[in-house]
């Protein structure tokens, strides 16, 4: 078990990030190096296509107009994702903004994870009903399930600290572990390997690794492509 | 399907894989927001008529042959072999899509289903499975460009017979030709369609505005674009571009044909002439006081159908409304936002395919008929030949009780 934990927590994390970075770069280069074709925008064309594309990508006005309920969940989901990204960054090292705005690491007191989990369930159930079901392919379900598993184990660690006063494994230990990874001196603190909650961490990291490795080859590439593709519509 | 054919088709597919096509093929998250966008689905709610579903038929072949994921784990994205069966699915997807791009307005990424369908259309051409009539029409257009001399006399004769009609409706000044053809030094080249309805009213208005114009030898319609053949689209377009260059005109004006206008506007961007639609030119004449119209001679409410290729895909939205306000005080919009207007259901070559598609065209556009009926209008104006034909068919089929009119001829009829 310890050996498996180690593999998941150390070499697999490196592998996942390598696949992520190389994969995403290769895909982006391949697409952006392809010659352009003639493409007609949707009129009235915008005077500031990049700004409009930014607006389209981040606020999704089309979804707000045509599928308002989905929009609420999509916005909640993506906003929480951003908060989580910040949370994880803060685990890696002390961020400059931490001093300016003193706050507890992982904003949202556990609710961010909850909102993510609920949104993911909403997306999943939505996929099981027509007409979205008719459009869906297996990849769509697998990705949602994988994300849900990642989120649920990650959030569980947050909930334990926030809601049940669990104190054995906390920010300091995570920070120690992640700092060791980014400085390429991997070391697992005692708590990470032996606390009662360690399997949560191991599972969280395992699913997260898988997710990062499939990302470059999945439709999650929309995270990078939303902007250039939206720009095409705006002229 | 044998391997050679498949390889050839895949080469055609690859030729279409430019930046926008790749972005569209890679990005769809199958969120389903476009479900309510397509008039075909809104009229006949079957999954195969959802914009993303159509696109997915092309995307599956893309995944199978052009992505690693699809090659190694076929079921993941349901990637698909290119086979005879796939071809018939491609046909159904592409020729039930009018290319109106309403779905592109709905999609959070702005995915252009028409562009994806143009891949399907090209594969069908490669497999000789495209609608024959469209290819035939495209070939005829190309041939006419190549041997103009043969057509020349016949064309000039038929124009002569139309001149009387023009003179009847607008006095011609001494030395003025009612329908000038092949005039070097003209400011404006007008590209019409075959048929008096596209030439006479336009000539009447040009003469009334004292325009220094000339009529093109060629028809504006681009069947190459309907059938999705990039080479023929270019050849058909080039006939007109070359003529415009030869005559040295400053402006090329496209008649009421949405596709012709969009193709010319987007593909002749860097030419030494400006491209306008006849609707824009008429609005300009009114604004500049070059023509005067009698107002409120029309009976009943007037509504306007925005041709997709002219409005959403061509940017001509304010001009027709400006013209209609000069014609009547009783104008009713059919959609609060022209960009959101339903397609008439006749684009993408479907009207050109005639009777064969009539049943589908009627069934797939019931939402359009409802939209028109709701305005309570007596006159339904539009500025596209295709839309006019389709709307007239809908008028009969759904007994809409409207008079379907070309905007340009309404202008000609109202000249003071
Ligand atoms: S709205 Fe766009 S992203 Fe969503 S399913 Fe339709 S085409 Fe795909
Ligand atoms: S382009 Fe028009 S017809 Fe084609 S899928 Fe989109 S909405 Fe439907």
């Amino acid at each position: 078990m310890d050996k498996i934990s180690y593999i998941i927590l150390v070499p697999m994390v490196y592998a996942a990030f390598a696949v992520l970075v190389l994969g995403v770069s290769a895909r982006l280069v391949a697409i952006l190096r392809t010659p352009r074709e003639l493409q007609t925008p949707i009129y009235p064309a915008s005077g500031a296509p990049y700004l409009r594309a930014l607006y389209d990508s981040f606020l999704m006005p089309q979804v707000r107009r045509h599928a308002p309920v989905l929009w609420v969940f999509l916005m909640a989901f993506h906003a929480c994702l951003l908060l989580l990204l910040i949370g994880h960054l803060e685990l890696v090292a002390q961020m400059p903004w931490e001093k300016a705005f003193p706050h507890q690491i992982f904003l949202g007191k556990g609710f961010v994870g909850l909102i993510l989990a609920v949104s993911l369930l909403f997306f999943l159930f939505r996929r099981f009903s027509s007409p979205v079901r008719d459009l869906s392919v297996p990849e769509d379900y697998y990705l949602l399930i994988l994300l849900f598993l990642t989120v649920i184990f990650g959030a569980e660690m947050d909930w334990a600290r926030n809601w049940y006063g669990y104190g054995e494994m906390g920010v300091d230990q995570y920070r120690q572990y992640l700092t060791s990874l980014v400085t390429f001196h991997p070391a697992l603190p005692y708590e990470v390997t032996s606390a009662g909650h360690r399997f949560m961490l191991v599972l969280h990291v395992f699913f997260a690794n898988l997710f990062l490795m499939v990302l470059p080859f999945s439709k999650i590439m929309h995270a990078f492509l939303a902007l250039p593709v939206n720009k095409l519509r705006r002229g | 399907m044998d391997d050679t054919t498949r390889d050839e088709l895949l080469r055609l597919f690859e030729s279409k894989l430019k930046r926008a096509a790749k972005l569209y093929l890679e990005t769809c998250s199958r969120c389903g927001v476009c479900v309510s966008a397509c008039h075909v689905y809104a009229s006949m709610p079957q999954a195969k008529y959802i914009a993303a579903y159509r696109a997915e038929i092309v995307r599956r072949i893309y995944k199978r042959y052009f992505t690693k994921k699809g090659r190694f784990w076929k079921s993941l994205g349901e990637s698909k072999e290119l086979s005879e069966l796939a071809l018939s699915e491609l046909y159904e997807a592409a020729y039930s899509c009018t290319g109106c791009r309403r779905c592109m307005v709905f999609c959070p990424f702005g995915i252009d289903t028409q562009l994806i369908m143009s891949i399907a259309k090209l594969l069908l051409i490669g497999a000789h499975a495209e609608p024959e009539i469209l290819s035939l029409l495209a070939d005829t257009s190309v041939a006419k460009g190549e041997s103009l001399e043969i057509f020349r006399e016949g064309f000039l004769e038929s124009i002569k017979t139309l001149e009387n009609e023009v003179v009847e409706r607008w006095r011609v000044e001494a030395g003025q030709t009612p329908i000038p053809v092949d005039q070097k030094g003209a400011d404006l080249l007008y590209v019409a369609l075959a048929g008096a309805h596209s030439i006479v009213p336009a000539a009447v208005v040009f003469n009334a505005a004292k325009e220094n114009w000339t009529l093109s030898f060629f028809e504006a319609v681009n069947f190459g674009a309907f059938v999705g053949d990039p080479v023929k689209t270019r050849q058909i377009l080039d006939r007109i571009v070359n003529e415009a260059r030869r005559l040295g005109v400053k402006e090329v004006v496209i008649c009421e044909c949405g596709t012709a206008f969009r193709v010319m506007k987007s593909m002749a961007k860097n030419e030494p002439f400006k491209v306008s639609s006849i609707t824009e030119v008429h609005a300009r004449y009114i604004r500049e006081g070059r023509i005067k119209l009698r107002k409120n001679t029309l009976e009943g409410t007037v509504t306007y159908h925005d041709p997709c290729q002219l409005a959403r895909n061509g940017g001509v939205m304010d001009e027709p409304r400006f013209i209609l306000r000069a014609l009547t005080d009783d104008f009713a919009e059919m959609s609060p936002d022209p960009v959101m207007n339903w397609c008439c259901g006749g684009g993408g070559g479907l009207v050109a395919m005639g009777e064969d598609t009539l049943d589908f065209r009627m069934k797939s556009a019931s939402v359009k008929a409802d939209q028109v009926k709701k305005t309570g209008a007596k006159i339904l104006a539009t500025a596209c030949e295709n839309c006019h034909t389709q709307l007239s068919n809908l008028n009969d089929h759904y007994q809409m009780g409207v008079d379907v009119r070309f905007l340009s001829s309404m202008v000609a009829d109202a000249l003071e």
Side-chain angles (χ1 to χ4, degrees), chain B residues 37-40 51 54 96-103 113-114:
Chain B
C38 186
H39 63 279
V40 186
R54 298 173 198 284
S96 64
C97 167
T98 59
C100 71
R101 304 208 304 174
R102 193 170 187 263
C103 47
T113 310
Q114 185 193 29

Side-chain angles (χ1 to χ4, degrees), chain A residues 21 33 47 61 75 79 83 99 121 126 142 146 153 162 184:
Chain A
V21 172
R33 271 180 54 191
M75 286 308 282
L83 288 177
K99 284 229 172 66
L121 285 180
R126 193 170 166 273
Y142 295 158
L146 187 55
F153 289 115
N162 273 303
F184 295 101

Side-chain angles (χ1 to χ4, degrees), chain A residues 135, chain B residues 28-34 52 106-109 111:
Chain A
L135 294 176
Chain B
C28 178
S29 59
R30 288 171 291 276
C31 68
V33 175
C34 56
F106 278 60
C107 174
F109 302 112
I111 291 175

